[in-house]
Structure formats: structure tokens, C-alpha cells
């Protein structure tokens, strides 16, 4: 189990509502950002990405917004479904040529039927 | 195949024993990354490869961890003399290129050190 004091930020929404998950990133030189979904017992699953020359990108039911001024990233999920319940992570390209990702802390999304 | 295959799914080792984890990247992907996830939360970057060459090992604990990606073999991550704090899920990801592309992750290997 998890240690005392460790808990994920949790967002609880009603099925059909929209969800917004926020993330603050660390490196102002980062030029590429990804949102991942992680279900229990599985690896991170790519949802949507955005490059630093954009401030908004839309996918199917998902939208990512990037605010470089305040180093903030958000993921919007429209018409949230029970299958969206998972932990969501933002990740930034480290900004160098190395290419490894720096992950933010996850947010647990719980969808109530 | 179109998935990153990690084996075994679960591994239990006594403290001080060796642990070896395997990762087969997606065919055609030149880059392989290893991450450690502790307590279902933060991901820590360990090491990356470009084909069989170490590309970035800044996250690797120097003393007990080693990794290889040899031609025509799965990549491997080996931990000598495991410690309790090595208990984590170890994820492998592969990518066609570094930097500006989403990586495909495997399902991970859960290592429990007892």
C-alpha cells in the first residue's frame, strides 16, 4: 500500500460533466508536452501532445491548453465517462537533446456514474 | 510488434539478490527509455539508449544498476544486490526519435524486494 501522507490530488466528477486537470511544469525551455493516462496496473497511455509554438490543441473529447507565461498546462475532457477514471500525468520534454521526459505529479480522476 | 513488451510482469527478490528486467521495444524504434515509478506516483528517469548505445544515464544509480540494449535481443535493466527502496514499477518506453514525439510505454515490471 501507499505510505502515510502520500496522496494524489483527486478530481471527482459526475459522468457527462467536463473535467479539467491542471499541471505546472518546471522548465521554461521545454518545447514539447504530453498528457498521459495511467490505469491501474498499466503503463502510461498517450492522450495528446502539444508543442510550445501552440497554445491549444484539440483531440477527440480532449483539449490541451498551454500557457507558457505561467508555465501551466491543462487537460480538458469533455463529457467525462467512467472509462476516463485513471491517474493523469503531464510530461515535458526536458528541453535538451536528451529527449527524456520529466513527469509531473499525477492527478486521480474519479468519475461517478 | 506495435507494443513495448516487458517481462516479467512481477518479480520478487530478497534483499541482496539480483533482479533482471527485460524490455522489447517496438520494431523500428531506435530509442529506449527506462523509468522507475514508486508508489504509483512520480516517474523517475533512469537511462536511455539510442540503438545499443547509452544515450543518457544521468538518472541511473551508479553502484548497483546497469542496463544494456544489444542487437537482436531485448533490452535489460539489472539491479545487483537489491535494496528495499528498489521496490517499484519499472517502465520501459520506446520512440522513433528523441524529443518531440510521444513515447510508447510498456506495462511495466513490478519489483518487490522483501
Amino acid at each position: 500500500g501507499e505510505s502515510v501522507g502520500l496522496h494524489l490530488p483527486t478530481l471527482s466528477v459526475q459522468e457527462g460533466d467536463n473535467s479539467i486537470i491542471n499541471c505546472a511544469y518546471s522548465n521554461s525551455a521545454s518545447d514539447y508536452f504530453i498528457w498521459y493516462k495511467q490505469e491501474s496496473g498499466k503503463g502510461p497511455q498517450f492522450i495528446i501532445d502539444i508543442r510550445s509554438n501552440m497554445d491549444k490543441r484539440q483531440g477527440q473529447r480532449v483539449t490541451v491548453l498551454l500557457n507558457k507565461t505561467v508555465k501551466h498546462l491543462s487537460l480538458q475532457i469533455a463529457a467525462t465517462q467512467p472509462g476516463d477514471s485513471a491517474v493523469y500525468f503531464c510530461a515535458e520534454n526536458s528541453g535538451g537533446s536528451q529527449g527524456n521526459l520529466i513527469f509531473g505529479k499525477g492527478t486521480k480522476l474519479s468519475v461517478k456514474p | 510488434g506495435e507494443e513495448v513488451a516487458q517481462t516479467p510482469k512481477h518479480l520478487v527478490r530478497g534483499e541482496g539478490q539480483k533482479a533482471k528486467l527485460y524490455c522489447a521495444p517496438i520494431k523500428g524504434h531506435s530509442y529506449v527509455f527506462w523509468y522507475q515509478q514508486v508508489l504509483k506516483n512520480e516517474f523517475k528517469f533512469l537511462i536511455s539508449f539510442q540503438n545499443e548505445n547509452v544515450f543518457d544515464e544521468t538518472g541511473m544509480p551508479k553502484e548497483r544498476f546497469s542496463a544494456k540494449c544489444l542487437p537482436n535481443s531485448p533490452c535489460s535493466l539489472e539491479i545487483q544486490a537489491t535494496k528495499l527502496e528498489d521496490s517499484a514499477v519499472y517502465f520501459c518506453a520506446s520512440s522513433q526519435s528523441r524529443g518531440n514525439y510521444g513515447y510508447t510505454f510498456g506495462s511495466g515490471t513490478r519489483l518487490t524486494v522483501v
Side-chain angles (χ1 to χ4, degrees):
Chain A
E2 296 178 345
S3 65
V4 173
L6 174 67
H7 57 273
L8 290 172
T10 299
L11 175 65
S12 186
V13 300
Q14 203 69 39
E15 183 178 359
D17 287 352
N18 297 332
S19 304
I20 299 176
I21 300 171
N22 296 303
C23 175
Y25 64 91
S26 56
N27 188 347
S28 56
S30 293
D31 58 2
Y32 177 63
F33 306 87
I34 311 171
W35 278 101
Y36 284 98
K37 172 186 180 184
Q38 187 178 27
E39 295 173 285
S40 183
K42 296 185 179 180
Q45 176 189 355
F46 175 91
I47 302 173
I48 192 168
D49 59 0
I50 189 168
R51 300 184 193 283
S52 59
N53 61 352
M54 303 172 70
D55 52 24
K56 180 179 180 180
R57 188 159 189 238
Q58 288 185 290
Q60 187 178 19
R61 284 203 305 119
V62 293
T63 301
V64 54
L65 298 177
L66 175 63
N67 185 331
K68 293 183 287 293
T69 304
V70 294
K71 293 192 288 185
H72 183 267
L73 200 63
S74 69
L75 175 70
Q76 300 178 1
I77 305 174
T80 315
Q81 302 168 1
D84 295 326
S85 294
V87 179
Y88 290 80
F89 292 89
C90 66
E92 59 185 297
N93 175 275
S94 59
S97 59
Q98 291 86 355
N100 53 287
L101 298 175
I102 299 173
F103 282 80
K105 296 187 190 300
T107 296
K108 183 176 181 179
L109 175 65
S110 293
V111 182
K112 296 176 286 188
Chain B
E2 290 302 308
E3 65 173 28
V4 175
Q6 289 191 249
T7 55
K9 284 196 176 301
H10 302 279
L11 190 58
V12 180
R13 286 289 178 265
E15 213 174 354
Q17 291 185 317
K18 183 175 74 175
K20 195 164 185 178
L21 292 59
Y22 297 92
C23 167
I26 291 174
K27 194 174 181 181
H29 282 193
S30 304
Y31 291 87
V32 171
F33 302 80
W34 284 97
Y35 289 84
Q36 179 194 58
Q37 186 183 31
V38 178
L39 297 175
K40 299 184 183 180
N41 201 354
E42 298 189 43
F43 290 84
K44 179 191 172 191
F45 167 74
L46 296 176
I47 190 169
S48 62
F49 288 84
Q50 180 181 10
N51 297 311
E52 62 266 27
N53 303 307
V54 174
F55 192 73
D56 181 357
E57 56 183 347
T58 52
M60 283 285 268
K62 295 295 184 190
E63 291 180 348
R64 299 179 297 108
F65 284 60
S66 63
K68 294 178 187 176
C69 276
L70 300 176
N72 303 314
S73 297
C75 296
S76 64
L77 176 69
E78 188 167 326
I79 308 172
Q80 301 286 342
T82 52
K83 297 183 177 181
L84 295 176
E85 64 255 32
D86 297 332
S87 294
V89 182
Y90 291 82
F91 287 101
C92 173
S94 73
S95 172
Q96 284 183 314
S97 72
R98 64 181 185 272
N100 296 333
Y101 292 93
Y103 309 165
T104 302
F105 280 81
S107 297
T109 293
R110 178 177 294 280
L111 172 66
T112 303
V113 181
V114 297

